[in-house]
Amino acid sequence: MSFLRLDSLHTTMVFDVNRAVPACCYWGPRLAADTPLAALQWQPVPPAVLDHPVGLNLLPETGRGWWGWPALSGCRGRFHWSNRFELSGCDASTNAIVFTLADAAAKLEIRLALDLDPDTGVLRQNCRLTNTGDDDYHLHWCAAAALPLPPDSDELLLYEGAWTKEFGLRRQPFPSGALVRDNCRGRTSHSRFPGVIAGQAGFDDRYGSVYGFHLGWSGNHRLVAEATSDGWRQVQLGELLMPGEMILAPGRSYTSPCAYACRAEGLNQLSQAWHRFLRKHILPAGVSRHPRPVQYNTWEAVYFDHRLQDLMALADRAADLGVERFVLDDGWFKGRRDDTRGLGDWEPDSGKFPDGLEPLISHVNRLGMSFGLWVEPEMVNPDSDLYRCHPDWVLHLDPLPRDTGRHQLVLDLARPEVSDYLFAALDGLLTAHPITYLKWDMNRDLTTAGHEGRAAYHSQVHALYGLVDRVRAAHPAVEIETCASGGGRVDFEILRRANRVWPSDSNDALERQVIQHGFSLFFPPEIMGCHVGPAVSHTTGRRLSLEFRGLTALAGHLGLELDLRELDAADVRMLKQIIAAYKDHRNLLHTGTFLRLNPSDKERLGWGVVGTDQREAVYGLFQLQTAAPGASPVVNLMGLIPGQRYRIARLLPIESGTAMFPIPEAPWAEEGLVATGQLLAEAGIAIPLRDPASGVLLKAVAV
Ligand code: DGJ
């Protein structure tokens, strides 16, 4: 037997196992079961190179003559710096294959585990390296996956973000040579989300063969996209290790994080595969089981200025608007008057809450809302009782200075006494009060993260997972939101433990449109926290209408984060409409098939969610800037059953806007228009180009 196959609904992967190291020799549209595969085997030897073929395999190695980026690098002292593994075992089932390979000279064993989800076509792969020798092996790089791309993968879509500008996208030609993107900030990162998409030139939401990759890891990582001079293209993803961080003693193993990869036609199909995969295999069950409640968050309303009467007044107004969960953000614990002090001392501040949190929580519960609390367990301010008692509990590297970020240091979670302290603090709060939700924040990057002199980035991430898992096991009903100064920690591994993501500290709806668009490539709407912020954005100073802010926030898990005492009657009416529309449609929006619309006007962004039975759909279309010259108002509304008739009408806004030069609505906006799914997708429909920073939500219902 020289080939093994993994098949999903739309994809086939074929592995040639008749080689010393197996190679993925086909990864594309699903092949018929009886497809002869012999054509995949032949590897020509190019002129003027080695005398044997050196193709890209699942473990490209220098010792076999691979001149590109190797999947493994390390050494024993000065030796065994180059590898030559041989396949020693292969365990295949319908959807999974485990390859075992050994390098007898270097005394190493590798186990590559691959499984292809039959429904979505998402491949999950990781690698375990074991030192079978009798001295230490210093590991420098071990790719979780090294996967091939077809030669016509001519473009890359990469993430390039920053705080309040997360999930920005950058498209570029596939590099000649290697593009290496390292993240050494100790968390998933705002700037270098560990995901990339490669595809045929000009691929877009609808067209072009695309290959997506992601590393499920909340720490340092590396991504390599490489084209070699002899025509191979590969993507590697793995954990970025610091010097000396991973020294394997005899008999010890290193297990890489999981890499995820998926092939699709167009970006919409790719996103849909990720979304379904996350829903089925990664996200905690609670996300799909419970409708995502409308949240109120106190941060941009009161910041650190917590006064019981004010908070109660905000809760009253929130309940009146239809809010279902009230989240008390930063500022509630001992000594926390600003961001310079208090982190680590996880008990209510007696000045602000003389009777503890109970009066506020009871008030919130009496109003019919559940209560959530902000915490930042991994951090400590030097100005805190915890640090004064245990200055040795932080990650540090003597004699280097302990540099602070947002006035804080990072606790060394791999020390059992530190994780025990944090667990006890969180467990105490959750046991004492009916707190159903934690916003778990993390507000600084790691630097010189040392533990007893050694680099401790890897152990910190595992200890974090251990701590979150412990809290979740003790309090299974408590939901967790992952936040790291906004979207600094969003990846498939943290999402095994999180019900919601805070994608950005920017509540500026114009910025949010772009952030949410980038986020949607990998993540589904129901976990994307989207808040209606203040009229004048606190991060940009830009004033935007409540209508636009509300429509923008309807794309995800809706929340409000503004001072509700400042709303006038018209604002209240508008917010009630937004919240009512959310409640009426959240089931559809959070379980349906998401797609991005592809308006010709680059100043427009749009999305749609089609119900699983394709009986109804909601489409959102947003004009970000003044329409570009020559822009067409026509938008293709995809995803419906071609032969089915639908009535399509405006869902929101209910009242027309207040523009100086009002744009006439489509004549059908109010009463609706009947069209087939095919016509809506292929011919599209003209939706007037509106004012900058405005939007419209349409609803299609099968008739
Ligand atoms: C950063 C978060 O992203 C904000 O939403 C807020 O919770 C602050 N931290 C609180 O310090």
Side-chain angles (χ1 to χ4, degrees), residues 135-185:
D135 54 357
D136 288 349
Y137 181 76
H138 292 234
L139 178 62
H140 302 153
W141 167 245
C142 176
L147 289 164
L149 287 167
D152 66 348
S153 306
D154 286 332
E155 284 182 8
L156 278 183
L157 194 59
L158 290 155
Y159 281 93
E160 218 153 62
W163 177 72
T164 68
K165 213 75 185 147
E166 293 86 342
F167 299 102
L169 293 170
R170 171 183 155 144
R171 191 186 270 261
Q172 63 174 60
F174 201 96
S176 151
L179 172 118
V180 181
R181 308 245 303 179
D182 284 354
N183 164 51
C184 54
R185 293 174 170 229

Side-chain angles (χ1 to χ4, degrees), residues 55-293:
L56 177 63
N57 58 35
L58 291 178
L59 194 71
E61 341 158 73
T62 52
R64 204 165 281 287
W66 176 255
W67 286 309
W69 196 275
L72 179 76
S73 81
C75 57
R76 290 177 196 279
R78 297 174 176 196
F79 307 107
H80 298 302
W81 46 271
S82 184
N83 300 106
R84 196 162 172 122
F85 281 82
E86 301 272 342
L87 186 64
S88 58
C90 172
D91 186 3
S93 60
T94 321
N95 301 118
I97 309 176
V98 176
F99 294 114
T100 312
L101 301 110
D103 180 339
K107 296 199 172 59
L108 292 170
E109 191 181 272
I110 274 189
R111 182 182 175 277
L112 290 178
L114 294 79
D115 70 89
L116 186 73
D117 179 41
D119 167 33
T120 60
V122 172
L123 174 81
R124 173 176 28 203
Q125 182 179 332
N126 81 342
C127 174
R128 191 181 70 204
L129 173 76
T130 303
N131 178 7
T132 54
D134 43 22
D135 54 357
D136 288 349
Y137 181 76
H138 292 234
L139 178 62
H140 302 153
W141 167 245
C142 176
L147 289 164
L149 287 167
D152 66 348
S153 306
D154 286 332
E155 284 182 8
L156 278 183
L157 194 59
L158 290 155
Y159 281 93
E160 218 153 62
W163 177 72
T164 68
K165 213 75 185 147
E166 293 86 342
F167 299 102
L169 293 170
R170 171 183 155 144
R171 191 186 270 261
Q172 63 174 60
F174 201 96
S176 151
L179 172 118
V180 181
R181 308 245 303 179
D182 284 354
N183 164 51
C184 54
R185 293 174 170 229
R187 55 181 175 176
T188 317
S189 144
H190 289 84
S191 51
R192 297 198 166 171
F193 169 72
V196 65
I197 295 163
Q200 290 173 323
F203 68 82
D204 65 15
D205 287 316
R206 289 180 93 177
Y207 303 111
S209 171
V210 288
Y211 292 77
F213 302 87
H214 170 66
L215 187 74
W217 181 244
S218 315
N220 292 342
H221 54 78
R222 166 173 289 162
L223 185 157
V224 181
E226 180 178 46
T228 65
S229 54
D230 48 356
W232 296 98
R233 287 179 184 206
Q234 66 160 334
V235 166
Q236 290 191 18
L237 303 126
E239 181 182 4
L240 178 68
L241 297 167
M242 290 287 158
E245 183 163 24
M246 198 52 64
I247 299 177
L248 297 179
R252 302 308 294 258
S253 298
Y254 164 78
T255 304
S256 77
C258 284
Y260 300 84
C262 184
R263 188 258 164 211
E265 279 304 315
L267 293 172
N268 276 336
Q269 208 186 75
L270 182 65
S271 302
Q272 287 158 12
W274 295 130
H275 295 184
R276 279 212 313 283
F277 183 79
L278 281 157
R279 285 172 179 168
K280 268 178 64 185
H281 300 293
I282 303 275
L283 294 170
V287 176
S288 57
R289 217 173 280 152
H290 310 295
R292 307 287 78 219

Side-chain angles (χ1 to χ4, degrees), residues 299 329-330 336 374 406 439 441 443 483 485-486 502 505:
W299 181 240
D329 209 280
D330 194 356
R336 189 69 164 171
W374 178 95
R406 206 193 185 203
K439 177 176 175 184
D441 206 346
N443 282 308
C483 173
S485 315
W502 185 230
D505 275 352

Side-chain angles (χ1 to χ4, degrees), residues 617-667:
V618 172
Y619 294 96
L621 193 65
F622 299 88
Q623 190 75 45
L624 306 191
Q625 308 294 339
T626 304
S632 160
V634 172
V635 182
N636 301 85
L637 302 182
M638 289 101 65
L640 300 170
I641 301 169
Q644 172 71 50
R645 286 164 187 250
Y646 296 86
R647 175 172 297 279
I648 180 145
R650 191 180 67 195
L651 176 68
L652 282 174
I654 290 174
E655 296 150 58
S656 46
T658 51
M660 178 109 66
F661 306 107
I663 288 147
E665 280 291 353

